[in-house]
Amino acid sequence: MHLFEYAVLRVVPRVEREEFLNVGVILYCASQGFLETRCQLPEARLQAFAGPTHQLDFDDLRARLRAFERICAGRREGGPIGQFAVASRFRWLTATRSTIVQTSPVHPGLCHDPAATLEQLYHQLVL
């Protein structure tokens, strides 16, 4: 069994209202050197959630979620943060922020296969 940590990616259309919709999961498993995210952007649900008077910039939201994916992957595509060690990238991605894309608190668990666990959490918490 491997110890893992995960956080849920949330879109907070109106930060002042503190309401959110889960759009992804990021999972880190130190013993396996695993850091990945799965996400989706349900535009119709998000727009309905934001309300008719609040237009969301879906291109910006897609870019923000892609940034999470690139940072998880590391290397040059992840920019300066993508060059950090895996643990540091996870800590940076899950740091508290007050923007339209936020993460939940970090939760621990045990698993045999981090990739399968990420898929399971994604289906359970997002879809």
Side-chain angles (χ1 to χ4, degrees), residues 1-47:
M1 297 291 279
H2 304 285
L3 177 66
F4 72 90
E5 298 174 81
Y6 77 94
V8 179
L9 293 171
R10 301 168 167 171
V11 171
V12 186
R14 298 173 70 179
V15 177
E16 70 277 7
R17 291 179 56 159
E18 298 182 0
E19 298 171 332
F20 58 85
L21 191 64
N22 293 345
V23 298
V25 177
I26 180 171
L27 189 139
Y28 166 59
C29 181
S31 64
Q32 299 296 297
F34 183 92
L35 178 60
E36 285 188 24
T37 187
R38 294 283 181 273
C39 55
Q40 68 161 356
L41 197 60
E43 293 183 21
R45 282 184 69 200
L46 280 168
Q47 191 56 63

Side-chain angles (χ1 to χ4, degrees), residues 13-14 18-19 21 23 35 37 42 52 64 68-70 88-90 94 96-97 100 102 109 116 118 121 127:
R14 298 173 70 179
E18 298 182 0
E19 298 171 332
L21 191 64
V23 298
L35 178 60
T37 187
R64 289 173 186 250
F68 272 80
E69 292 170 344
R70 287 193 309 272
S88 296
R89 293 196 318 261
F90 179 71
T94 58
T96 302
R97 52 182 58 90
I100 194 166
Q102 299 179 14
L118 175 60
L121 289 169
L127 297 180

Side-chain angles (χ1 to χ4, degrees), residues 47-82:
Q47 191 56 63
F49 190 67
T53 61
H54 189 77
Q55 278 300 90
L56 295 173
D57 183 344
F58 289 106
D59 290 335
D60 179 62
L61 285 171
R62 277 189 288 280
R64 289 173 186 250
L65 293 176
R66 277 193 307 270
F68 272 80
E69 292 170 344
R70 287 193 309 272
I71 290 168
C72 283
R75 301 178 301 279
R76 286 191 180 145
E77 296 82 20
I81 306 303

